[in-house]
Amino acid sequence: MKVLVVGGGGREHAICWKLAQSPKVTELYCAPGNAGIAQIAQCVPIKATDVDAMVKWAVENKMDFVMVAPDDPLALGMVDALEAAGIPAFGPRKNAAIIEASKAFSKELMKKYHIPTARYETFTDMDAALAYIDQQGAPIVVKADGLALGKGVTVAATMEEAKNAVREMMEGGKFGASGSTVVIEECMTGPEVTVLAFCDGEHLVPMLSSQDHKRAYDGNQGPNTGGMGAICPSPNYTPEIAARCVEEIFLPTVAALKAEGRPFQGVIYFGLMLTPAGPKVVEYNARFGDPETQPLLSMLDSDLMEIFQACVNGTLDQVDVKWKSGAACCLVLASGGYPVSYKSGYPISGLEEAGKSAVVFHAGTKKGENGEILTAGGRVLGVTALGANLSEAIDNAYAAARPISFQDMHFRTDIGRV
Ligand code: AMP
Ligand code: GLY
């Protein structure tokens, strides 16, 4: 099969790496890809958000299957457009991708179908939002409605902080149109766990649990990032909690989307908080998480292409999704200053040495004029290692990353330990 993966980060590198191992995949393409992906797939210089150009290219080059990884093209309806052009595509249609694209929509859905989540109200009027904060008090959480690269959330310790967040979003236009509607919700407490699940519109197969590290600095300090590292499975996700999540959250969500005429095909990302009152949904995403995908797919023991096809064909119940035992850890090496401001274009050394004991997924890299690999983004690499247990996987990832260096390189030293 000729397969195209849409996207160009660490997640897409992991997806391509796993697909390249499938006997079903004879030709692998990635648009736009990056310097690491170029080592295993042919990169196509089309922006992930350019729906028309992507579909045109896929048709002209006779792709048998397209996997759409990032949130933006899903929200723009890339899967719908590919289907209309007769190409099977993995990922939710626009009307289901909305569970990520609109927090207001997903909160409504959870309320309607009694899926546990934080209490909330939605506002399009700033004065009403500010009055609600006065009434509720702090701590309280303020969220921009739309896609904001995972950064549109303020967990405010004080009412003043919450009000400033509302003003920035609704008045200052910090997140553009994404901030014109805000969701204000109850502040939950407890460990966070992520569970991704394959879905074919009707059936759901949860993957191993995982845990991201969203803050930039050690001890979960500093600004929110796209993710500074991830582990899988999460030690907090016990079999009892898993059973509860399937019963109270996962199956009801899939059934709710189907009942609403928005069957979900693709990967649903359940961001969960294990509160004293039980597991609750923090957020849904409509796709694989980044960097969670890197450790997760490293642990997958089945053919990913077969699973993708089963999701598209509605036959997920007939596939055996198997996992390796042990654990995996992905350590993100980022550009200094990320996520606020950083420079790119620095040469990276030590990649080959690191690759001997771990898989080094490229997130933001490009090839220089002389074939050298250069930094080209905030998150640069995701060094991913396995271990017999979590502690070993973490040690292996850090040990493997040691030879890698580039100017102003920044990473957290406590991935999997907090
Ligand atoms: P989100 O983009 O919705 O995942 O939010 C980003 C982060 O903010 C989450 O991973 C949580 O750490 C935190 N967060 C979001 N909503 C809440 C909430 N209701 N209570 C406490 N923390 C939250
Ligand atoms: N790692 C969080 C996300 O992909 O949204």
Side-chain angles (χ1 to χ4, degrees):
M1 290 175 77
K2 292 166 84 166
V3 177
L4 168 67
V5 174
V6 175
R11 165 184 55 203
E12 289 78 9
H13 192 181
I15 292 166
C16 286
W17 171 82
K18 192 67 193 169
L19 287 178
Q21 297 166 24
S22 168
K24 289 171 172 265
V25 179
T26 50
E27 287 179 42
L28 186 59
Y29 299 84
C30 186
N34 62 38
I37 294 172
Q39 293 165 359
I40 51 172
Q42 292 187 52
C43 293
V44 183
I46 299 174
K47 268 173 50 184
T49 47
D50 193 340
V51 176
D52 292 343
M54 197 70 75
V55 175
K56 186 163 174 275
W57 187 91
V59 170
E60 281 173 4
N61 292 277
K62 301 189 168 52
M63 289 300 113
D64 297 304
F65 196 94
V66 179
M67 189 286 168
V68 184
D71 51 357
D72 293 318
L74 291 168
L76 289 168
M78 188 178 279
V79 168
D80 311 53
L82 287 160
E83 282 177 353
I87 301 178
F90 180 89
R93 292 181 192 145
K94 186 176 179 173
N95 73 354
I98 193 172
I99 61 162
E100 171 167 9
S102 168
K103 288 189 195 292
F105 172 87
S106 60
K107 295 296 287 190
E108 281 293 323
L109 186 84
M110 288 185 265
K111 191 186 259 182
K112 181 170 173 189
Y113 291 90
H114 309 291
I115 297 165
T117 188
R119 237 187 14 254
Y120 77 100
E121 291 291 336
T122 302
F123 297 92
T124 48
D125 178 75
M126 191 172 82
D127 291 332
L130 296 175
Y132 182 73
I133 291 169
D134 275 327
Q135 181 204 331
Q136 294 291 314
I140 194 157
V141 179
V142 179
K143 301 184 175 186
D145 177 48
L147 299 175
L149 293 171
K151 291 163 204 145
V153 175
T154 302
V155 180
T158 65
M159 294 195 341
E160 212 32 57
E161 196 185 335
K163 288 182 184 178
N164 284 338
V166 166
R167 287 193 195 102
E168 274 186 2
M169 284 175 199
M170 302 188 85
E171 214 171 45
K174 190 170 176 185
F175 300 103
S178 289
S180 60
T181 300
V182 301
V183 173
I184 302 183
E185 61 180 43
E186 162 201 7
C187 189
M188 302 184 287
T189 55
E192 284 187 63
V193 174
T194 296
V195 179
L196 277 63
F198 294 110
C199 216
D200 69 359
E202 173 120 31
H203 314 97
L204 163 137
V205 176
M207 303 183 210
L208 295 177
S209 61
S210 58
Q211 192 190 329
D212 186 9
H213 296 68
K214 287 199 170 110
R215 299 299 192 103
Y217 311 125
D218 282 3
N220 292 327
Q221 301 297 308
N224 260 325
T225 70
M228 294 298 295
I231 52 155
C232 102
S234 159
N236 296 316
Y237 195 68
T238 62
E240 294 73 36
I241 291 174
R244 243 184 115 168
C245 287
V246 169
E247 203 58 38
E248 296 173 17
I249 297 175
F250 304 163
L251 294 175
T253 299
V254 174
L257 285 164
K258 187 168 175 235
E260 293 288 311
R262 302 168 185 270
F264 192 103
Q265 176 270 110
V267 168
I268 303 195
Y269 173 119
F270 296 94
L272 307 167
M273 198 168 272
L274 309 179
T275 78
K280 294 189 183 182
V281 177
V282 178
E283 64 163 345
Y284 292 127
N285 289 331
R287 53 174 173 83
F288 276 106
D290 189 341
E292 294 91 333
T293 302
Q294 290 83 317
L296 275 170
L297 292 186
S298 302
M299 292 288 287
L300 181 64
D301 226 2
S302 302
D303 183 336
L304 185 61
M305 192 62 225
E306 197 179 317
I307 300 172
F308 282 171
Q309 284 181 292
C311 289
V312 169
N313 296 336
T315 54
L316 191 55
D317 55 328
Q318 293 161 34
V319 176
D320 192 13
V321 180
K322 292 203 281 289
W323 301 93
K324 297 185 202 308
S325 59
C329 174
C330 170
L331 168 66
V332 170
L333 305 179
S335 297
Y338 171 75
V340 182
S341 73
Y342 54 85
K343 290 197 184 127
S344 286
Y346 298 125
I348 306 171
S349 60
L351 284 170
E352 207 167 308
E353 187 62 26
K356 289 178 186 160
S357 50
V359 184
V360 183
F361 293 117
H362 291 219
T365 64
K366 64 172 186 225
K367 230 176 185 165
E369 277 171 14
N370 305 315
E372 74 278 32
I373 309 273
L374 305 174
T375 66
R379 292 186 289 177
V380 177
L381 302 166
V383 180
T384 308
L386 303 182
N389 54 47
L390 184 56
S391 179
E392 215 178 281
I394 295 166
D395 289 345
N396 289 343
Y398 276 95
R402 212 164 289 142
I404 299 179
S405 75
F406 53 85
Q407 189 168 329
D408 302 336
M409 182 171 94
H410 164 69
F411 59 91
R412 280 182 57 165
T413 65
D414 59 355
I415 300 301
R417 308 258 187 228
V418 285

